[in-house]
Amino acid sequence: MATDKKIEEGLEFVPKFDSNGLITTIAQDAETGEILMVAYMNSEALDMTIKSANAVYYSRSRQKLWRKGEESGHVQKVQQILVDCDQDCLVLKVRVDQGQCHVGYQSCFYRTLKNGSDKEMELIAEKVYDPKEAYKKK
Amino acid sequence: MATDKKIEEGLEFVPKFDSNGLITTIAQDAETGEILMVAYMNSEALDMTIKSANAVYYSRSRQKLWRKGEESGHVQKVQQILVDCDQDCLVLKVRVDQGQCHVGYQSCFYRTLKNGSDKEMELIAEKVYDPKEAYKKK
């Protein structure tokens, strides 16, 4: 098979990391289908995620591995890892029991653009935990 | 409010484009919750998407605006645009009636890593259209 076809139609996993060594990863609630967050993995984070079945990301701001939940306790148990056609993006189907966004919401996507507006958003969720409490634990 | 707090807690939409002028965008089926694809928008694509309520992306490989469905006819009707905490990622809740992946599947995520493997994938979907037919129309 030609390379493109092999990547798209083959069953060998050859994740395509970007020029920074990262791959975009979406965490989706396995039960509800809600998109919880988007983050990045480097090769090491991906290996750790596969081996431990707990989501591990690479934090671009802190420039280090980020075991999801290491501070907040809000871990993600990985049930399935989906791969897209060109293998440069992953979806983790995860089980979670607590808010996944550091702002206090279940999902990072707690706002929507108002219909037709390019400026104004509105809230579509309520906070499910108090980040101040969760992050002072450690 | 401090800048971070304003971005995270405010209701003013200030999308954060990356150093290439792009923002990561996930298309999610509004009805089923299935994640269909991940693509990128520049500022113009985002404006066009908001105004037309049809998804318009920026193709990194072709380096130009990409009106989703312009060749295949498989458009995305945008119902809602969700924004994440740091405003550097969007979710489009879309209505679609045909396969969204250029390989022929409904979603680009038609494969999953076999449980515990870091090499082998398996198919989790069947093709819903013939790309050869769809792309020769034009």
Side-chain angles (χ1 to χ4, degrees):
Chain A
M1 282 196 272
T3 311
D4 274 10
K5 204 166 162 63
K6 205 171 156 187
I7 287 169
E8 290 177 355
E9 304 267 8
L11 294 175
E12 185 195 351
F13 181 48
V14 277
K16 194 168 148 194
F17 296 94
D18 68 15
S19 56
N20 296 312
L22 302 176
I23 190 165
T24 303
T25 305
I26 304 164
Q28 182 180 30
D29 190 309
E31 216 160 327
T32 66
E34 185 175 21
I35 295 175
L36 298 170
M37 53 177 275
V38 175
Y40 300 85
M41 285 185 180
N42 62 6
S43 170
E44 195 182 352
L46 177 56
D47 283 348
M48 290 171 70
T49 299
I50 292 170
K51 290 206 176 87
S52 69
N54 282 296
V56 179
Y57 300 103
Y58 181 82
S59 167
R60 296 179 302 171
S61 55
R62 289 176 284 156
Q63 301 200 322
K64 60 172 194 162
L65 286 173
W66 162 34
R67 291 166 188 80
K68 178 74 180 93
E70 64 191 349
E71 289 188 40
S72 64
H74 301 185
V75 298
Q76 296 175 347
K77 297 275 177 198
V78 180
Q79 289 210 312
Q80 214 177 16
I81 300 177
L82 310 186
V83 186
D84 79 342
C85 43
D86 47 8
Q87 301 204 33
D88 68 354
C89 189
L90 305 174
V91 169
L92 307 184
K93 296 269 197 177
V94 298
R95 287 202 176 260
V96 296
D97 58 3
Q98 281 178 299
Q100 293 299 308
C101 177
H102 74 287
V103 180
Y105 296 91
Q106 186 67 18
S107 158
C108 293
F109 296 91
Y110 47 84
R111 292 171 298 190
T112 180
L113 262 181
K114 282 193 178 176
N115 217 346
S117 173
D118 59 0
K119 290 259 162 50
E120 270 182 278
M121 299 188 290
E122 58 190 332
L123 282 170
I124 51 168
E126 286 182 12
K127 290 190 183 180
V128 294
Y129 75 97
D130 180 353
K132 275 184 204 145
E133 287 301 313
Y135 288 97
K136 86 178 176 193
K137 275 181 207 157
K138 193 170 170 167
Chain B
M1 283 196 271
T3 311
D4 275 8
K5 202 163 162 66
K6 205 171 154 186
I7 287 169
E8 291 178 353
E9 304 268 7
L11 294 174
E12 186 195 351
F13 181 48
V14 278
K16 193 168 146 195
F17 297 94
D18 67 16
S19 56
N20 296 311
L22 301 175
I23 189 165
T24 304
T25 305
I26 304 163
Q28 182 181 30
D29 190 309
E31 217 158 325
T32 66
E34 186 175 21
I35 295 175
L36 299 170
M37 52 177 276
V38 175
Y40 299 85
M41 287 185 177
N42 62 6
S43 168
E44 196 183 351
L46 177 57
D47 282 350
M48 290 171 70
T49 299
I50 292 170
K51 290 207 175 86
S52 69
N54 282 295
V56 180
Y57 299 103
Y58 181 82
S59 167
R60 294 177 304 169
S61 55
R62 289 177 283 159
Q63 300 201 323
K64 61 173 194 160
L65 286 174
W66 163 32
R67 290 167 189 79
K68 178 76 182 90
E70 65 191 348
E71 290 188 38
S72 63
H74 302 184
V75 297
Q76 297 176 345
K77 298 275 177 196
V78 180
Q79 287 208 314
Q80 214 176 15
I81 299 176
L82 310 187
V83 186
D84 80 342
C85 43
D86 46 8
Q87 301 204 32
D88 66 355
C89 189
L90 305 175
V91 169
L92 306 185
K93 296 271 197 177
V94 299
R95 287 201 176 260
V96 296
D97 57 5
Q98 283 176 298
Q100 293 299 306
C101 177
H102 75 287
V103 180
Y105 296 90
Q106 186 67 19
S107 157
C108 293
F109 296 90
Y110 48 84
R111 292 171 299 191
T112 179
L113 263 181
K114 281 193 180 176
N115 218 347
S117 173
D118 59 359
K119 290 260 163 50
E120 271 182 279
M121 299 188 290
E122 58 191 333
L123 283 170
I124 51 168
E126 288 182 11
K127 291 191 182 181
V128 296
Y129 76 97
D130 180 354
K132 276 186 203 143
E133 286 301 312
Y135 288 96
K136 84 179 180 194
K137 275 182 205 157
K138 190 166 170 174

